[in-house]
Amino acid sequence: MIADRDRMLEGLKAIGFRVLPSATNCIFAAHESVPGEKLFAALRSEGILVRHFNQDRTKNWLRISVG
């Protein structure tokens, strides 16, 4: 799982995401130019479920589980 998480972190960075360091099975990521709410809706429409927290400090961030 660690290798999968690290590969996902690098892939997200390569396409413009800012990712926070993680030692868990979750990644906290925000895109440089696309708002979190828009990403959340687009992913959900494709059947990809991530968490979006619509709070001031976290509104552009997604929590992505690696499993």
Side-chain angles (χ1 to χ4, degrees):
M1 185 178 327
I2 293 170
D4 291 336
R5 182 197 64 220
D6 292 344
R7 189 171 37 254
M8 187 179 287
L9 284 169
E10 293 307 313
L12 289 168
K13 287 178 186 177
I15 59 172
F17 278 85
R18 178 178 171 213
V19 295
L20 299 181
S22 176
T24 68
N25 69 331
C26 296
I27 297 172
F28 212 51
H31 195 270
E32 295 173 356
S33 60
V34 182
E37 188 172 357
K38 187 172 183 177
L39 285 169
F40 174 74
L43 290 168
R44 186 176 180 130
S45 73
E46 294 295 323
I48 301 168
L49 302 178
V50 298
R51 292 287 309 261
H52 177 250
F53 303 96
N54 196 16
Q55 305 293 321
D56 287 340
R57 293 179 62 198
T58 57
K59 66 182 175 184
N60 285 321
W61 292 85
L62 300 175
R63 181 177 163 259
I64 305 164
S65 294
V66 180

